[in-house]
Amino acid sequence: MLECHARVLATLRDELLPECSMARFDLLAALDREDGQPLATLSRALLVTAGNLTGLVDRAARDGLVVKRSDARDRRVSRVYLTRKGRGFVQHAMPRHARAVERTLAPLTASEQVELRRILGKLRDGLREKEAAS
């Protein structure tokens, strides 16, 4: 499982733009799905520490891809938003990422891909339940 994970990540990393790490892509894709997420929510969703996320967000902000703003109702909460440049970047990167995933899964038949997704989803859900219980 770890070897497959490493090889899939290497393939996807090679397909993305040179200036876009997988961590940055994950951040931008998460914001593309739901813009304005709090830092704590992003940290949990991306499975990174708060410190790592802060650095990732700060570098993306420096590059003009995101902005960080205080929540209007609770100024202790910071939310992250895509900028126009960030939205354009992720819209450009998403099709490349999708093609890379498609090529990566090409050795599997369509039904095997469906089964793999089902099994991995079941594993993910079980791990989330275990984590929530502890």
Side-chain angles (χ1 to χ4, degrees), residues 70-117:
S70 294
D71 185 281
R73 287 180 251 165
D74 186 348
R75 303 205 40 91
R76 296 171 296 174
V77 175
S78 291
R79 293 184 174 273
V80 184
Y81 298 87
L82 285 172
T83 62
R84 180 177 290 141
K85 180 179 178 181
R87 191 161 305 285
F89 187 90
V90 77
Q91 296 295 325
H92 177 72
M94 285 292 225
R96 292 175 67 133
H97 182 267
R99 285 190 301 273
V101 169
E102 189 176 301
R103 280 193 299 278
T104 301
L105 296 176
L108 303 176
T109 66
S111 62
E112 288 171 333
Q113 290 180 30
V114 168
E115 183 67 3
L116 177 64
R117 183 179 206 132

Side-chain angles (χ1 to χ4, degrees), residues 29-87:
L31 293 172
D32 187 55
R33 286 188 298 275
E34 184 183 339
D35 207 12
Q37 294 184 57
L39 286 169
T41 302
L42 284 167
S43 176
R44 283 190 303 276
L46 300 177
L47 303 174
V48 297
T49 65
N52 284 343
L53 181 65
T54 297
L56 184 62
V57 169
D58 288 349
R59 287 185 298 279
R62 176 200 66 209
D63 295 340
L65 301 171
V66 301
V67 293
K68 188 167 49 170
R69 295 187 207 125
S70 294
D71 185 281
R73 287 180 251 165
D74 186 348
R75 303 205 40 91
R76 296 171 296 174
V77 175
S78 291
R79 293 184 174 273
V80 184
Y81 298 87
L82 285 172
T83 62
R84 180 177 290 141
K85 180 179 178 181
R87 191 161 305 285

